[in-house]
Amino acid sequence: MLLAAEREPGNVQIAGSLGEYYLHEERWREGVHWLSRAYALSAGNESIGYDLAFARMQAGELDSAKRQIEQMLGRTDSARLHNLLGSVEERRANYLDAAREYHRAAEIEPSEANIFDLATFLVQHKQYVGFLDESIKFFRYGVSQFPRSSKMMVGLGVALYASEQYDEAVRMLCAAVDLDPTDRRPIEFLGKARKVSPELAEEVDRRLQDFAVRYPENAATNYYYALSLWERGGGEEGKNLDKIMGLLQKTEAEAPGWYEPHFQLGGLYEVEKRYPEAIAEMQKVIRIEPGFSPAHFRLAVLYSRTGEKSRAAQESATVKRIKDRDRKDETGEDDAEISHNR
């Protein structure tokens, strides 16, 4: 196609196709190059212009993307352009402007996607006074308009949870699970919600048990039901350990690339002093998530218990290295700089 573009530099279709190809491949700068050419050749085609602005945003050319979208909005007051400008302003950390753009997009075209984007943005920036209340309002509207949308129900459940309306949050998240049993998100938030109060924990545990029976192929239901059993005596008191183990093993079979179940199962094996199996599970964790320091720490302990002192030392050093890196990321300083400043 590049040869065709060289032979026909004025062919808008070829330039546009190249731009779309690079967009699909997430090669943003090449996409910007060809889409810019196609946009100029098409005398400002709106569809090509939208893709060009999106590519510029993804390439980090935020000011250029903003200018282009504003020019296009001067010709057409389009919902999707306002939505895209909201994304650009969000990346520029202009959150109030972003909120206005998302709101305008939903106002022009109250589609499921536009309402969801607006409400999600607001709940993600709840530090702004009124944003959380507005998020709940728009999620409620979204649920009323799109009652079969599990993602809208999850969003409302999360927003209610953030505003400490836990009982309603649980009801909404449970409804979301019923709509889409394959979605892990509502189950994850239910698992968090059970820690809020003893009364709520009992209700959530009952729901998790029910979901594990009704949706046995859902990895998240098995995992969080296992966690609820562990936290209700399985850990310290040794209750239901065989059941917990079975649920975790089933979760692993259903979602082998999810590192948390491997970590929990490794912890259970460690409690039962099945050290080789515990080590194998922790090794799976760090293969999936190398930077997860708790797994390296448990490996250091396990290797010490099995007499593998050098491997224990290596894991301890890894834990320190991860913590030092995380500290540097948080403060912008490394240990040498900290010592020097002291």
Side-chain angles (χ1 to χ4, degrees):
M1 195 178 293
L2 286 170
L3 291 175
E6 290 175 4
R7 287 195 301 268
E8 300 182 59
N11 190 315
V12 64
Q13 290 185 331
I14 294 174
S17 295
L18 274 168
E20 293 298 326
Y21 168 76
Y22 287 121
L23 211 61
H24 179 74
E25 294 295 311
E26 298 185 358
R27 294 167 61 177
W28 309 119
R29 296 199 181 280
E30 292 100 323
V32 168
H33 172 77
W34 289 105
L35 288 168
S36 295
R37 179 180 293 188
Y39 188 57
L41 291 169
S42 69
N45 176 276
E46 183 180 337
S47 180
I48 296 173
Y50 177 91
D51 289 342
L52 173 57
F54 178 80
R56 280 176 165 159
M57 177 185 73
Q58 295 293 81
E61 300 176 13
L62 300 180
D63 291 341
S64 296
K66 175 182 167 67
R67 284 194 300 271
Q68 182 193 330
I69 296 169
E70 287 177 338
Q71 288 171 1
M72 294 174 69
L73 282 169
R75 298 192 296 270
T76 306
D77 197 24
S78 160
R80 71 172 187 159
L81 286 174
H82 281 288
N83 187 282
L84 183 58
L85 184 53
S87 297
V88 171
E89 295 291 18
E90 186 174 1
R91 294 195 183 196
R92 297 175 79 229
N94 293 335
Y95 299 127
L96 294 175
D97 289 339
R100 281 192 286 270
E101 295 302 328
Y102 284 125
H103 189 280
R104 180 59 180 154
E107 184 178 50
I108 295 172
E109 184 182 317
S111 64
E112 179 183 357
N114 285 339
I115 294 167
F116 183 82
D117 286 348
L118 169 60
T120 299
F121 171 81
L122 293 170
V123 77
Q124 288 173 341
H125 298 280
K126 55 184 177 290
Q127 72 271 23
Y128 289 89
V129 175
F131 270 28
L132 185 54
D133 291 340
E134 287 291 293
S135 175
I136 292 172
K137 180 181 79 174
F138 284 112
F139 272 128
R140 287 194 194 281
Y141 175 75
V143 169
S144 71
Q145 295 300 302
F146 305 97
R148 302 298 300 170
S149 172
S150 63
K151 75 173 186 178
M152 202 71 78
M153 286 187 175
V154 172
L156 178 54
V158 171
L160 289 166
Y161 180 88
S163 68
E164 301 182 2
Q165 300 179 52
Y166 301 120
D167 290 341
E168 189 179 359
V170 167
R171 289 196 298 272
M172 192 56 57
L173 291 166
C174 288
V177 175
D178 284 331
L179 272 180
D180 185 3
T182 65
D183 191 345
R184 185 188 297 175
R185 294 169 302 169
I187 296 292
E188 290 177 347
F189 274 94
L190 281 173
K192 294 177 182 178
R194 72 173 303 281
K195 300 179 181 180
V196 174
S197 70
E199 297 81 9
L200 192 62
E202 185 176 343
E203 170 68 8
V204 172
D205 288 339
R206 185 183 67 77
R207 301 272 192 160
L208 290 172
Q209 180 179 9
D210 177 53
F211 287 141
V213 172
R214 288 164 55 195
Y215 308 119
E217 304 307 314
N218 184 320
T221 61
N222 289 308
Y223 175 67
Y224 284 100
Y225 180 39
L227 285 191
S228 77
L229 288 173
W230 178 266
E231 292 171 3
R232 285 187 289 130
E236 294 182 0
E237 301 172 26
K239 297 178 182 178
N240 296 310
L241 291 184
D242 288 343
K243 187 170 185 177
I244 294 169
M245 188 178 299
L247 289 165
L248 290 173
Q249 289 169 339
K250 189 170 185 180
T251 303
E252 286 188 341
E254 293 160 350
W258 187 9
Y259 75 88
E260 288 96 330
H262 293 292
F263 182 74
Q264 296 297 333
L265 185 56
L268 180 52
Y269 285 141
E270 184 177 356
V271 167
E272 294 198 322
K273 296 183 170 55
R274 295 165 60 174
Y275 298 138
E277 290 159 291
I279 288 171
E281 291 299 326
M282 294 302 170
Q283 288 173 335
K284 291 176 185 176
V285 174
I286 62 175
R287 279 199 295 272
I288 299 168
E289 192 67 26
F292 187 59
S293 62
H296 289 285
F297 177 78
R298 296 316 316 161
L299 275 173
V301 172
L302 288 162
Y303 285 138
S304 293
R305 288 176 177 170
T306 56
E308 299 178 77
K309 302 300 183 184
S310 63
R311 299 186 76 177
Q314 288 175 357
E315 294 299 332
S316 295
T318 300
V319 172
K320 183 179 185 303
R321 186 165 60 251
I322 292 171
K323 289 184 176 180
D324 288 345
R325 181 200 65 198
D326 292 345
R327 186 185 304 115
K328 184 178 179 181
D329 289 343
E330 290 174 4
T331 65
E333 295 181 308
D334 59 23
D335 286 345
E337 289 171 332
I338 294 170
S339 299
H340 176 75
N341 290 337
R342 287 175 182 167

Short mmCIF file of all heavy atoms in Angstrom, two decimals, residues 106 109-116 138-154 172 179:
data_model
loop_
_atom_site.label_atom_id
_atom_site.label_comp_id
_atom_site.label_asym_id
_atom_site.label_seq_id
_atom_site.Cartn_x
_atom_site.Cartn_y
_atom_site.Cartn_z
N ALA A 106 -23.44 13.97 25.93
CA ALA A 106 -24.61 13.23 26.39
C ALA A 106 -25.90 14.03 26.17
O ALA A 106 -26.97 13.45 25.97
CB ALA A 106 -24.46 12.88 27.87
N GLU A 109 -26.58 13.72 22.31
CA GLU A 109 -26.93 12.33 21.95
C GLU A 109 -26.89 11.47 23.20
O GLU A 109 -25.83 10.98 23.59
CB GLU A 109 -25.94 11.79 20.91
CG GLU A 109 -26.27 10.41 20.39
CD GLU A 109 -25.23 9.92 19.41
OE1 GLU A 109 -24.79 10.71 18.56
OE2 GLU A 109 -24.85 8.74 19.51
N PRO A 110 -28.03 11.31 23.89
CA PRO A 110 -28.05 10.56 25.15
C PRO A 110 -27.98 9.04 24.92
O PRO A 110 -28.86 8.29 25.35
CB PRO A 110 -29.37 10.98 25.78
CG PRO A 110 -30.25 11.34 24.62
CD PRO A 110 -29.34 11.91 23.57
N SER A 111 -26.92 8.61 24.27
CA SER A 111 -26.72 7.18 24.01
C SER A 111 -26.15 6.51 25.26
O SER A 111 -25.66 7.17 26.19
CB SER A 111 -25.75 6.99 22.85
OG SER A 111 -24.46 7.49 23.19
N GLU A 112 -26.19 5.20 25.25
CA GLU A 112 -25.62 4.45 26.38
C GLU A 112 -24.15 4.79 26.56
O GLU A 112 -23.69 5.03 27.69
CB GLU A 112 -25.79 2.95 26.14
CG GLU A 112 -25.20 2.09 27.25
CD GLU A 112 -25.31 0.60 26.97
OE1 GLU A 112 -25.90 0.22 25.93
OE2 GLU A 112 -24.81 -0.19 27.78
N ALA A 113 -23.39 4.84 25.47
CA ALA A 113 -21.96 5.11 25.56
C ALA A 113 -21.68 6.50 26.10
O ALA A 113 -20.81 6.68 26.97
CB ALA A 113 -21.31 4.95 24.19
N ASN A 114 -22.42 7.52 25.63
CA ASN A 114 -22.17 8.89 26.08
C ASN A 114 -22.55 9.10 27.54
O ASN A 114 -21.84 9.78 28.29
CB ASN A 114 -22.92 9.88 25.19
CG ASN A 114 -22.27 10.03 23.83
OD1 ASN A 114 -21.09 9.74 23.65
ND2 ASN A 114 -23.04 10.49 22.85
N ILE A 115 -23.67 8.53 27.95
CA ILE A 115 -24.09 8.65 29.35
C ILE A 115 -23.09 7.93 30.25
O ILE A 115 -22.69 8.44 31.31
CB ILE A 115 -25.51 8.10 29.55
CG1 ILE A 115 -26.51 8.98 28.80
CG2 ILE A 115 -25.88 8.05 31.03
CD1 ILE A 115 -27.89 8.36 28.68
N PHE A 116 -22.68 6.74 29.83
CA PHE A 116 -21.72 5.97 30.62
C PHE A 116 -20.39 6.71 30.75
O PHE A 116 -19.81 6.78 31.84
CB PHE A 116 -21.51 4.59 29.99
CG PHE A 116 -20.58 3.71 30.78
CD1 PHE A 116 -21.05 3.00 31.87
CD2 PHE A 116 -19.24 3.59 30.43
CE1 PHE A 116 -20.20 2.19 32.61
CE2 PHE A 116 -18.39 2.78 31.16
CZ PHE A 116 -18.87 2.07 32.25
N PHE A 138 -26.58 10.54 36.80
CA PHE A 138 -26.50 10.12 35.40
C PHE A 138 -26.50 8.60 35.28
O PHE A 138 -27.08 8.05 34.33
CB PHE A 138 -25.27 10.73 34.73
CG PHE A 138 -25.45 12.18 34.39
CD1 PHE A 138 -24.72 13.17 35.04
CD2 PHE A 138 -26.37 12.56 33.42
CE1 PHE A 138 -24.90 14.50 34.74
CE2 PHE A 138 -26.56 13.91 33.11
CZ PHE A 138 -25.82 14.88 33.77
N PHE A 139 -25.88 7.90 36.23
CA PHE A 139 -25.95 6.44 36.18
C PHE A 139 -27.39 5.96 36.39
O PHE A 139 -27.83 5.01 35.75
CB PHE A 139 -25.03 5.81 37.23
CG PHE A 139 -23.62 5.57 36.75
CD1 PHE A 139 -22.53 6.05 37.47
CD2 PHE A 139 -23.38 4.87 35.57
CE1 PHE A 139 -21.24 5.83 37.04
CE2 PHE A 139 -22.08 4.64 35.13
CZ PHE A 139 -21.01 5.12 35.86
N ARG A 140 -28.11 6.61 37.30
CA ARG A 140 -29.52 6.23 37.51
C ARG A 140 -30.32 6.45 36.22
O ARG A 140 -31.15 5.61 35.84
CB ARG A 140 -30.13 7.06 38.65
CG ARG A 140 -29.67 6.68 40.04
CD ARG A 140 -30.58 7.32 41.08
NE ARG A 140 -30.03 7.26 42.41
CZ ARG A 140 -30.05 6.17 43.19
NH1 ARG A 140 -30.61 5.06 42.74
NH2 ARG A 140 -29.55 6.22 44.40
N TYR A 141 -30.06 7.57 35.57
CA TYR A 141 -30.74 7.84 34.31
C TYR A 141 -30.37 6.78 33.28
O TYR A 141 -31.23 6.26 32.56
CB TYR A 141 -30.37 9.23 33.80
CG TYR A 141 -30.95 9.55 32.44
CD1 TYR A 141 -32.30 9.87 32.30
CD2 TYR A 141 -30.15 9.52 31.31
CE1 TYR A 141 -32.83 10.15 31.04
CE2 TYR A 141 -30.67 9.80 30.05
CZ TYR A 141 -32.02 10.11 29.93
OH TYR A 141 -32.54 10.37 28.69
N GLY A 142 -29.09 6.43 33.24
CA GLY A 142 -28.64 5.43 32.29
C GLY A 142 -29.29 4.07 32.53
O GLY A 142 -29.69 3.38 31.59
N VAL A 143 -29.41 3.69 33.79
CA VAL A 143 -30.06 2.41 34.12
C VAL A 143 -31.53 2.44 33.72
O VAL A 143 -32.07 1.45 33.21
CB VAL A 143 -29.90 2.09 35.62
CG1 VAL A 143 -30.79 0.92 36.03
CG2 VAL A 143 -28.44 1.77 35.94
N SER A 144 -32.18 3.58 33.93
CA SER A 144 -33.60 3.68 33.56
C SER A 144 -33.80 3.61 32.05
O SER A 144 -34.78 3.05 31.57
CB SER A 144 -34.20 4.98 34.11
OG SER A 144 -33.71 6.11 33.41
N GLN A 145 -32.84 4.17 31.29
CA GLN A 145 -32.97 4.19 29.83
C GLN A 145 -32.46 2.90 29.19
O GLN A 145 -32.92 2.51 28.12
CB GLN A 145 -32.20 5.38 29.25
CG GLN A 145 -32.75 6.73 29.67
CD GLN A 145 -34.19 6.92 29.23
OE1 GLN A 145 -34.52 6.84 28.05
NE2 GLN A 145 -35.07 7.17 30.20
N PHE A 146 -31.50 2.24 29.86
CA PHE A 146 -30.89 1.03 29.31
C PHE A 146 -30.90 -0.06 30.38
O PHE A 146 -29.85 -0.43 30.92
CB PHE A 146 -29.47 1.32 28.82
CG PHE A 146 -29.39 2.46 27.84
CD1 PHE A 146 -29.06 3.74 28.27
CD2 PHE A 146 -29.70 2.27 26.50
CE1 PHE A 146 -29.01 4.80 27.38
CE2 PHE A 146 -29.64 3.32 25.60
CZ PHE A 146 -29.31 4.59 26.04
N PRO A 147 -32.08 -0.57 30.72
CA PRO A 147 -32.22 -1.49 31.85
C PRO A 147 -31.54 -2.84 31.65
O PRO A 147 -31.39 -3.60 32.60
CB PRO A 147 -33.74 -1.67 31.99
CG PRO A 147 -34.28 -1.33 30.64
CD PRO A 147 -33.38 -0.27 30.09
N ARG A 148 -31.09 -3.15 30.42
CA ARG A 148 -30.38 -4.40 30.17
C ARG A 148 -28.87 -4.19 30.10
O ARG A 148 -28.13 -5.09 29.70
CB ARG A 148 -30.87 -5.03 28.85
CG ARG A 148 -32.36 -5.33 28.81
CD ARG A 148 -32.78 -6.32 29.86
NE ARG A 148 -32.09 -7.60 29.71
CZ ARG A 148 -32.14 -8.57 30.60
NH1 ARG A 148 -32.82 -8.41 31.73
NH2 ARG A 148 -31.50 -9.70 30.40
N SER A 149 -28.41 -3.02 30.49
CA SER A 149 -26.98 -2.71 30.42
C SER A 149 -26.30 -3.08 31.75
O SER A 149 -26.47 -2.38 32.75
CB SER A 149 -26.76 -1.23 30.12
OG SER A 149 -25.40 -0.89 30.24
N SER A 150 -25.56 -4.16 31.75
CA SER A 150 -24.88 -4.56 32.98
C SER A 150 -23.79 -3.56 33.35
O SER A 150 -23.56 -3.29 34.53
CB SER A 150 -24.26 -5.95 32.83
OG SER A 150 -23.28 -5.97 31.82
N LYS A 151 -23.12 -2.97 32.33
CA LYS A 151 -22.04 -2.03 32.67
C LYS A 151 -22.60 -0.77 33.32
O LYS A 151 -21.96 -0.17 34.18
CB LYS A 151 -21.20 -1.69 31.44
CG LYS A 151 -21.82 -0.76 30.43
CD LYS A 151 -20.80 -0.39 29.36
CE LYS A 151 -21.33 0.67 28.40
NZ LYS A 151 -20.31 1.05 27.40
N MET A 152 -23.83 -0.37 32.93
CA MET A 152 -24.44 0.79 33.57
C MET A 152 -24.78 0.47 35.02
O MET A 152 -24.62 1.30 35.92
CB MET A 152 -25.69 1.21 32.80
CG MET A 152 -26.10 2.65 33.01
SD MET A 152 -24.99 3.85 32.23
CE MET A 152 -25.51 3.76 30.52
N MET A 153 -25.26 -0.75 35.27
CA MET A 153 -25.57 -1.16 36.64
C MET A 153 -24.30 -1.25 37.49
O MET A 153 -24.30 -0.86 38.65
CB MET A 153 -26.28 -2.51 36.63
CG MET A 153 -27.72 -2.44 36.17
SD MET A 153 -28.55 -4.03 36.38
CE MET A 153 -30.23 -3.56 35.90
N VAL A 154 -23.23 -1.77 36.90
CA VAL A 154 -21.96 -1.82 37.62
C VAL A 154 -21.51 -0.41 37.97
O VAL A 154 -21.08 -0.13 39.10
CB VAL A 154 -20.87 -2.53 36.79
CG1 VAL A 154 -19.51 -2.40 37.47
CG2 VAL A 154 -21.21 -4.00 36.60
N MET A 172 -27.58 -3.31 43.47
CA MET A 172 -27.32 -3.00 42.07
C MET A 172 -26.24 -3.91 41.49
O MET A 172 -26.35 -4.39 40.35
CB MET A 172 -26.91 -1.53 41.94
CG MET A 172 -26.90 -1.01 40.52
SD MET A 172 -28.48 -1.22 39.65
CE MET A 172 -29.60 -0.32 40.74
N LEU A 179 -27.41 -9.99 35.12
CA LEU A 179 -27.48 -9.61 33.71
C LEU A 179 -26.31 -10.16 32.91
O LEU A 179 -26.47 -10.56 31.76
CB LEU A 179 -27.51 -8.08 33.58
CG LEU A 179 -28.88 -7.40 33.62
CD1 LEU A 179 -28.70 -5.90 33.47
CD2 LEU A 179 -29.79 -7.93 32.52
#
